[in-house]
Amino acid sequence: MTDPDISRIAGRNRSIPPILLQFARELRKRQTPTEQILWECLRARRLNGYKFRRQHNLGRFIADFYCHGARLVVEVDGPYHDFQREKDAARDEWMRSVGLRVLRVRNRQVREDLEGVLVLILDGLETSSPDGSG
């Protein structure tokens, strides 16, 4: 059971500005190849039954992947993120302040060690989830 504050920010009945909703839809249509690889492993409860959403609106941000049951955000970072570390840090801090855990993985990690990335995500899910389930 998630607390009301998390549901207000990340749940089904949250209020999303139309422009952010449209942007998330566009991002889902044009996922990066690395995001596509990871999504194939996370979609349809393929990772130990945990439900993930992709390009999910959280407050004023859009998370690459989000598991509401475990309050876990997974971000897949490419080279562009090397130039926006402060922005990413502020975003991560906001997410932590509302009770979310953020896990960042690099594109290279997904391409070269997908199994290791999935183990890392699973570990994050199991330590994040209040009841140990998705």
Side-chain angles (χ1 to χ4, degrees), residues 5-130:
D5 288 337
I6 292 294
S7 292
R8 183 177 50 78
I9 293 166
R12 179 177 295 153
N13 296 322
R14 69 200 182 282
S15 177
I16 306 168
I19 191 139
L20 276 181
L21 188 60
Q22 182 59 36
F23 188 53
R25 287 180 180 141
E26 290 172 15
L27 287 173
R28 283 191 290 275
K29 289 178 186 175
R30 53 184 172 95
Q31 279 185 289
T32 68
T34 309
E35 289 171 340
Q36 289 173 2
I37 291 167
L38 191 54
W39 179 237
E40 283 305 310
C41 298
L42 299 177
R43 68 188 297 263
R45 298 182 187 263
R46 290 179 180 167
L47 188 62
N48 280 24
Y50 286 96
K51 179 177 175 54
F52 276 88
R53 300 165 186 169
R54 65 185 170 130
Q55 303 303 334
H56 186 74
N57 297 86
L58 298 167
R60 66 179 201 262
F61 301 108
I62 299 173
D64 290 338
F65 303 101
Y66 174 65
C67 179
H68 189 67
R71 300 179 187 172
L72 181 70
V73 173
V74 178
E75 292 290 331
V76 181
D77 293 345
Y80 174 77
H81 288 269
D82 292 339
F83 303 102
Q84 64 171 39
R85 289 179 196 214
E86 286 181 24
K87 184 178 175 184
D88 287 345
R91 171 187 165 111
D92 292 355
E93 179 55 37
W94 179 85
M95 289 190 186
R96 283 191 295 274
S97 78
V98 298
L100 302 174
R101 181 161 179 233
V102 180
L103 176 62
R104 288 188 173 272
V105 296
R106 301 292 299 193
N107 283 346
R108 178 185 42 76
Q109 288 175 276
V110 174
R111 287 191 311 269
E112 296 175 6
D113 185 20
L114 181 59
E115 185 175 332
V117 168
L118 294 174
V119 167
L120 189 65
I121 293 170
L122 189 56
D123 182 55
L125 288 163
E126 292 175 350
T127 58
S128 294
S129 182

